[in-house]
Amino acid sequence: SYRAHFLGYDHQNFTAVDDEFGPVVLSIKHYNDKDGEMKGNHVRVILRTTSGTIHRLLPYNDVKDTPSPVQLAKFLCPDLSIEKFEPIMSPRASDLIVNYDEHVVVNNYKFGF
């Protein structure tokens, strides 16, 4: 989840609008080696669309050395037609993303006899 793996850690959030999927929010976290180089062995990605959320931990040997946000998004969802993501620069972005990811739709029904 975003709270467990992203919140409070160095990561990037991006947004775009896809012709088919509508608004898209992408969160990326690179795992660095001990020297601080971005040569860790994997990258964690969460891709959110109106049709659902995809969360993957990708080994670097499955993606290019330093994949772009577009490459990572299309790796998770090849049907995306996005050509460019914009970084989300709001200081409240992480809080808003956590709230979105953790919202639960609950339908309460009361039946009387």
Side-chain angles (χ1 to χ4, degrees):
S1 73
Y2 185 85
R3 181 181 297 279
H5 299 286
F6 290 80
L7 195 61
Y9 297 98
D10 188 27
H11 69 282
Q12 299 85 38
N13 296 306
F14 300 91
T15 187
V17 177
D18 184 81
D19 293 337
E20 181 181 344
F21 293 95
V24 177
V25 176
L26 180 70
S27 298
I28 301 172
K29 178 182 175 190
H30 294 274
Y31 288 86
N32 300 337
D33 64 12
K34 293 177 185 174
D35 298 326
E37 300 276 328
M38 271 208 311
K39 295 180 181 175
N41 60 357
H42 55 279
V43 59
R44 187 175 299 275
V45 183
I46 301 177
L47 179 70
R48 300 165 196 83
T49 68
T50 54
S51 59
T53 299
I54 303 169
H55 183 173
R56 296 283 185 274
L57 185 62
L58 303 172
Y60 272 127
N61 55 2
D62 285 356
V63 295
K64 291 186 176 183
D65 289 336
T66 308
S68 73
V70 171
Q71 290 168 325
L72 288 171
K74 288 184 177 182
F75 190 84
L76 269 61
C77 184
D79 295 333
L80 287 174
S81 62
I82 293 169
E83 295 181 14
K84 181 181 179 186
F85 276 91
E86 296 292 332
I88 299 174
M89 304 304 286
S90 169
R92 293 191 54 231
S94 290
D95 294 332
L96 295 171
I97 291 171
V98 161
N99 289 338
Y100 175 81
D101 283 356
E102 294 179 353
H103 82 281
V104 177
V105 177
V106 178
N107 292 321
N108 292 324
Y109 299 100
K110 288 187 177 183
F111 295 94
F113 292 99

